[in-house]
Amino acid sequence: MVFLQYPSAKVEKKGGRTVGRQYQSVIMMLFVSLVMLGGIGSRLFYLQLVEGERNRELAEENRILLLPRRPARGTMFDRKGKILAGSRLSHSVSIWPIALPVDQRDRVVERLAQLLEIPKEEIQQRIASAGYESTQSIAIARGLSPAQTTALAEYASELPGVRVEAEAIRSYPNGDLAAHVIGYTGEIDEAEFDQMAADGRDYRLGDIIGKMGSEKSFESMLRGVWGGQQVEVDSAGNVLSILGEKPPQSGQNIRLTLDLELQKSAEKALGDNVGAIIAMDPNDGAILAMVSRPTFDPNIFSTRITQAQWEQLNSRGNPFLNRSLQAYPPASTFKIITTAAAIESGSFAANTVLPTFPNINAGGILFWDWNNAGFGPLGFVGAMQWSSDTFFYQVGMRMGHEPIIEWMRKYGLGEKTGIELGSEEAAGLVPDEAWKQEMLEEPWYLGDTINMTIGQGYMQVTPLQTAVMFAIAANGGYRVTPHLLLDGAESKQWKTSVGMQPETIKVIQDGLRKVVTSGTGTRLNVPTIPTPAGKSGTAEAPPFENHTWFGAYAPFENPEVLVVAFGEHSGGGGGAFAAPMVKEVLEVYFNGPSKTKKDEEAPPPSAG
């Protein structure tokens, strides 16, 4: 037996009362501890044995889920308030990965793939990208058919973690009308998502974004702001209670400068021909119509597009290429710039007269006039009227290529026009000595200058740049910036002077008017179009058929509209092929329902 001993009997004797108090404290502490442990034990007994089953269900089956709510995308209108792109009600299906029971994952994916008619590997890839423990729902399919929606409801008990929701998807009520200008939307891919993240923009996988055209260019305005609900759900993904909600904020409605009726007329005029037509206000660059063929129906991208549909679309000769913004040789329409360069450089007086010939011999090479005969003595106005090649050959041979290149740049060639579709726009090409040496390892020849004077050779110009070129003639010497957004346009400066003398402008304008009254463009000389002026162009493109051009504006005295038509490898001549298209569009503008007046335009749309 071990006895507890104190250091001295003196302490025992005199400190008996102190020792007794220590024993009382220890006993009290033991009592309190027993009471606390008993309370905890009884609570554990209650939670584990009495309420154990219920708490296990709460812990294992119920989750807090954030259900994102997609905002309604802003509506796109034409200048008179007619809908170009809106939304329609549909349904989407998504999966909440964490609510998928481990032993049912494969079965759920297979059943879902069967009902939606999409490969199960695609669904598995989407889930794997987010992870099976993800607390975010993953979009699987949008734009469900009524049959698919019904089937998913019937099999709901076999699809834990699968949710079907009503949502608005993009709708284009006019089908393929103005498809290249309006564009289309689609689900963001990983490369786009990474780029958005790098730019600091708040996007998530599964978001719907503008992929092309105005849908892409005005994405930040049209998109809106996501909302969401914080909800409690069971293991099957069924909502038990809503814990909080933030309503989504709809995207902004916008008006484009397009005139739907004029767009229809331009589409009809181009028909099934490969090419482009542009109608533009020459005073401020507002695009009234823009057509490119072949085309596509953007509605097909509002739901899941199949591989067969994609292959069929691309079999039509690259229908996604906006030919209004692609570059080609401008042919004789370019004589507008050659005239400006000749007079403004001081190389020629405005009243210069030159003989014309069947051909010009330069360095032993014969450069022929288009009629193989010549036209006799001509000034700049007459040379424009008859589109004499040998007249402009002589101009180029005397002044050289430098002034032409200088004025090409003043007219905006070789750079993008500034239209909002910049990511789809080509800059074209202004060739010079440095370019030729670098690209072809050849010096600049006299023949290069001769070809340049009539818009042939290496130069490349887009139909939109050609429209800007005609606008400079129409508005008296101002380079305009083409644009599509109407709202707020009145507060911006859309044109700048190119610095031409009034005498030069008059020569160009008179020449373009003569083209229509008695030259190569008399097809436009009709009473239904008030005093038009214009110019044709035919560009050789061996071994293929010619490209054809025609550009015109009206009325001559106070221009309201200009139209440029382009035929890609259409054959024939610009006056014969493209001029009738321009005529048809101008007649609708001046006589049809598209006649645009400021007081007829719809007021700015409110936010969606």
Side-chain angles (χ1 to χ4, degrees):
M1 179 178 294
V2 178
F3 293 94
L4 180 62
Q5 295 184 345
Y6 291 92
S8 68
K10 183 177 182 181
V11 174
E12 284 185 8
K13 191 172 185 179
K14 294 184 178 181
R17 186 177 299 175
T18 300
V19 173
R21 288 176 180 172
Q22 289 178 340
Y23 277 115
Q24 289 176 359
S25 298
V26 171
I27 292 171
M28 182 61 69
M29 290 176 64
L30 289 173
F31 177 80
V32 172
S33 298
L34 289 173
V35 171
M36 291 177 65
L37 289 173
I40 293 171
S42 63
R43 182 59 179 167
L44 289 173
F45 176 85
Y46 176 81
L47 292 174
Q48 293 184 8
L49 299 181
V50 179
E51 292 290 332
E53 185 64 28
R54 178 176 179 275
N55 288 329
R56 273 192 296 274
E57 291 176 356
L58 288 172
E60 295 175 4
E61 297 182 351
N62 295 351
R63 299 290 191 274
I64 302 302
L65 174 64
L66 180 64
L67 299 180
R69 297 293 186 188
R70 192 185 308 276
R73 197 169 177 85
T75 301
M76 204 181 299
F77 298 93
D78 85 333
R79 67 190 305 120
K80 295 180 180 177
K82 297 178 180 178
I83 294 179
L84 300 174
S87 300
R88 63 180 176 85
L89 185 64
S90 183
H91 288 82
S92 65
V93 60
S94 59
I95 286 181
W96 184 34
I98 202 169
L100 275 174
V102 176
D103 59 347
Q104 297 185 47
R105 288 175 181 173
D106 292 340
R107 183 181 59 79
V108 170
V109 168
E110 288 181 6
R111 174 65 76 185
L112 197 56
Q114 178 187 18
L115 296 175
L116 298 176
E117 297 180 344
I118 60 178
K120 68 177 182 179
E121 292 79 13
E122 181 177 325
I123 300 175
Q124 290 170 332
Q125 176 60 39
R126 287 176 178 260
I127 299 173
S129 296
Y132 280 93
E133 298 303 316
S134 174
T135 58
Q136 297 290 330
S137 59
I138 301 170
I140 300 299
R142 304 176 65 242
L144 302 181
S145 67
Q148 289 174 323
T149 304
T150 301
L152 287 167
E154 291 176 351
Y155 287 95
S157 61
E158 301 179 22
L159 300 170
V162 175
R163 299 172 55 249
V164 177
E165 291 183 294
E167 71 168 1
I169 65 171
R170 210 56 167 159
S171 174
Y172 304 92
N174 302 296
D176 63 6
L177 196 74
H180 295 88
V181 178
I182 298 169
Y184 66 92
T185 61
E187 188 173 319
I188 190 171
D189 59 35
E190 290 191 15
E192 291 167 329
F193 174 77
D194 292 340
Q195 184 60 55
M196 295 292 189
D199 294 340
R201 302 173 69 181
D202 182 22
Y203 281 83
R204 66 194 77 185
L205 289 173
D207 272 3
I208 301 302
I209 64 170
K211 294 277 190 173
M212 176 184 171
S214 296
E215 292 279 24
K216 179 178 180 180
S217 297
F218 305 121
E219 166 71 13
S220 61
M221 302 172 69
L222 294 165
R223 181 194 180 204
V225 180
W226 279 76
Q229 289 180 323
Q230 190 178 41
V231 299
E232 183 182 13
V233 297
D234 61 20
S235 61
N238 299 312
V239 176
L240 300 178
S241 63
I242 298 176
L243 305 177
E245 183 171 6
K246 177 187 176 183
Q249 181 180 331
S250 298
Q252 181 180 340
N253 294 339
I254 64 173
R255 282 189 307 167
L256 300 187
T257 57
L258 292 184
D259 182 308
L260 187 60
E261 295 302 324
L262 199 63
Q263 180 75 27
K264 289 178 181 177
S265 72
E267 304 256 2
K268 180 175 177 292
L270 187 57
D272 293 330
N273 297 294
V274 176
I277 293 180
I278 295 170
M280 186 175 78
D281 185 333
N283 300 298
D284 67 3
I287 300 298
L288 305 177
M290 180 180 282
V291 183
S292 177
R293 287 283 190 274
T295 189
F296 63 95
D297 185 348
N299 283 296
I300 65 173
F301 295 100
S302 295
T303 58
R304 182 178 179 274
I305 184 171
T306 65
Q307 185 64 30
Q309 287 175 312
W310 180 254
E311 291 175 358
Q312 183 182 15
L313 273 173
N314 283 283
S315 68
R316 300 175 185 173
N318 200 348
F320 302 104
L321 188 69
N322 187 345
R323 285 167 168 81
S324 296
L325 306 178
Q326 303 308 304
Y328 308 87
S332 289
T333 61
F334 185 78
K335 290 171 181 175
I336 294 173
I337 294 181
T338 304
T339 299
I343 301 174
E344 289 295 314
S345 67
S347 301
F348 293 86
N351 61 355
T352 296
V353 175
L354 297 175
T356 62
F357 309 96
N359 59 66
I360 293 289
N361 189 321
I365 301 175
L366 295 181
F367 293 86
W368 290 84
D369 214 314
W370 67 268
N371 69 346
N372 295 325
F375 298 90
L378 293 175
F380 281 102
V381 172
M384 192 89 71
Q385 173 187 2
W386 295 109
S387 198
S388 171
D389 293 332
T390 55
F391 178 94
F392 288 101
Y393 294 160
Q394 295 174 79
V395 169
M397 291 169 70
R398 184 186 301 181
M399 74 171 169
H401 63 281
E402 291 90 351
I404 303 176
I405 291 173
E406 177 187 353
W407 278 89
M408 287 177 74
R409 299 195 187 283
K410 287 186 176 182
Y411 268 68
L413 305 187
E415 62 183 80
K416 296 184 178 184
T417 64
I419 195 170
E420 297 94 334
L421 308 180
S423 64
E424 299 158 30
E425 182 182 17
L429 174 63
V430 175
D432 57 19
E433 292 173 284
W435 173 87
K436 191 179 181 191
Q437 186 63 50
E438 179 182 355
M439 300 302 296
L440 303 177
E441 297 183 349
E442 290 181 358
W444 189 270
Y445 298 118
L446 178 60
D448 296 325
T449 302
I450 290 174
N451 279 327
M452 178 179 279
T453 63
I454 62 168
Q456 294 276 183
Y458 306 114
M459 70 171 62
Q460 297 282 306
V461 176
T462 71
L464 186 59
Q465 290 172 328
T466 303
V468 172
M469 180 179 71
F470 275 97
I472 293 172
N475 65 35
Y478 292 89
R479 175 177 159 187
V480 298
T481 300
H483 60 280
L484 287 165
L485 190 63
L486 180 62
D487 299 318
E490 64 278 358
S491 65
K492 297 183 180 180
Q493 178 57 255
W494 295 110
K495 60 184 183 181
T496 56
S497 174
V498 296
M500 271 195 298
Q501 302 173 67
E503 187 178 32
T504 306
I505 295 169
K506 187 177 186 306
V507 167
I508 294 172
Q509 291 176 338
D510 289 347
L512 295 176
R513 178 67 178 139
K514 281 284 189 178
V515 168
V516 175
T517 58
S518 55
T520 59
T522 55
R523 290 172 184 266
L524 263 70
N525 193 23
V526 294
T528 50
I529 305 174
T531 58
K535 184 71 185 76
S536 60
T538 306
E540 296 179 356
F544 305 104
E545 296 282 353
N546 297 335
H547 299 308
T548 54
W549 296 85
F550 202 94
Y553 60 87
F556 177 71
E557 301 81 5
N558 188 23
E560 296 179 21
V561 62
L562 72 81
V563 179
V564 170
F566 167 74
E568 182 180 309
H569 300 303
S570 58
F577 182 85
M581 298 179 185
V582 173
K583 172 178 175 287
E584 186 173 341
V585 177
L586 288 175
E587 284 180 324
V588 170
Y589 177 87
F590 286 107
N591 307 288
S594 70
K595 176 60 178 172
T596 302
K597 296 178 181 178
K598 295 298 181 183
D599 57 2
E600 291 177 351
E601 293 178 1
S606 59

